[in-house]
Amino acid sequence: MELVLGTDVSHHFEYLSKFESRLSAGLNSENLEKKEDVLLVLTYIVKCSDMSNPARPPEINRKWVKRVMEEFYTQVYLI
């Protein structure tokens, strides 16, 4: 659940600041020993995946835009 919540744009700079701070403190792929560090890295992987669609070829991007709009419609009108 927390990984999905990490895609909330309203908290982007909070996550970015935390991530940059941990990188400055020496966080890397070889020292992911703390659960919160693993969660932070996974959150950023999900964030990058979530934001990657505009960088895709237009025909693929359009398909994903349609799916996202359907999801948002469902959340607003059917829940």
Side-chain angles (χ1 to χ4, degrees):
M1 178 77 162
E2 190 168 335
L3 296 179
V4 174
L5 294 175
T7 64
D8 185 344
V9 178
S10 67
H11 298 285
H12 173 74
F13 292 105
E14 175 187 338
Y15 280 105
L16 181 60
S17 176
K18 187 186 290 188
F19 191 63
E20 288 175 337
S21 175
R22 290 300 298 132
L23 288 175
S24 295
L27 179 66
N28 62 49
S29 62
E30 296 176 4
N31 66 356
L32 288 173
E33 298 160 0
K34 296 179 183 175
K35 181 179 177 181
E36 58 267 17
D37 287 342
V38 172
L39 189 57
L40 184 62
V41 170
L42 291 174
T43 298
Y44 255 83
I45 291 170
V46 172
K47 284 178 78 56
C48 290
S49 298
D50 187 52
M51 297 178 2
S52 69
N53 289 319
R56 296 179 188 277
E59 61 276 2
I60 295 173
N61 182 23
R62 277 189 220 95
K63 289 178 184 178
W64 281 104
V65 166
K66 183 179 179 200
R67 290 174 180 150
V68 168
M69 301 234 350
E70 288 173 357
E71 177 186 351
F72 289 166
Y73 176 85
T74 302
Q75 289 176 4
V76 171
Y77 294 106
L78 301 179
I79 293 180

